[in-house]
Amino acid sequence: MARSSSSSSSSASLSSPSSLSSSGSQRRPRADAERNRARVLEAAREVFRARGDEAQMPEVARAAGVGIGTVYRHFPGRAALIAAVGEQRQAEIVEFGRSRCLGSATAAEGLVAYVEHIGEVLDAERGLSASIEAAFGSTEPTGEGRAQAEAVAGQLLARGKEEGAVREDAEAGDVVMIVCGLAAVIRNDAGDWRRYVRNACAGLRRP
């Protein structure tokens, strides 16, 4: 029995270092790949912000400090890269809404802050928006990103109704329409977008 235990222990001690080494060597490439992907996304956002739809993949690779093959390894085409950057931007907007707006003193203030933040992002990243529209025909988010953004708006509206500040018939779709109009005002330089936000959100308040 003692010999068997010793043999088992010896076997485990012999195999452990190699399996740990193997596990570590597997983790390192994954970590490197994740870092490279993050670098490419960050660079792409800056390049598309500055150059708009004229930006090309080699420019992104240079800005990220990686080879063009690395860019294509993570994003099989330009449209896939633009989509990923757009999804990243949308996720950040949702996070702002959750962390900074849902806890506002009043729901009405939170809603205005939420829509104003979207305006600030769209205003600062007109080039990226132009790239998204050129690639997909619209800058309107879709899928999970849109659902999450609407959920934030829905929570603010529900709380606003409880506070007696928001119209009973207001719904998340109304906020979506306000944001679509906001995007058009910014894209076309049609006026003071902050004034538009204030006036549009005022239409959701209870008379």
Side-chain angles (χ1 to χ4, degrees), residues 74-144:
H74 293 286
F75 306 100
R78 187 170 175 274
L81 177 57
I82 293 172
V85 176
E87 288 167 5
Q88 181 189 61
R89 180 170 81 172
Q90 183 66 14
E92 290 175 2
I93 288 172
V94 170
E95 177 56 29
F96 180 91
R98 289 171 174 168
S99 63
R100 302 285 295 277
C101 302
L102 291 179
S104 294
T106 68
E109 291 175 2
L111 184 60
V112 171
Y114 187 39
V115 180
E116 279 191 342
H117 176 69
I118 294 173
E120 288 168 354
V121 172
L122 296 179
D123 191 25
E125 299 189 337
R126 295 181 186 222
L128 175 56
S129 296
S131 301
I132 294 171
E133 184 167 17
F136 303 106
S138 171
T139 58
E140 195 170 338
T142 59
E144 185 178 357

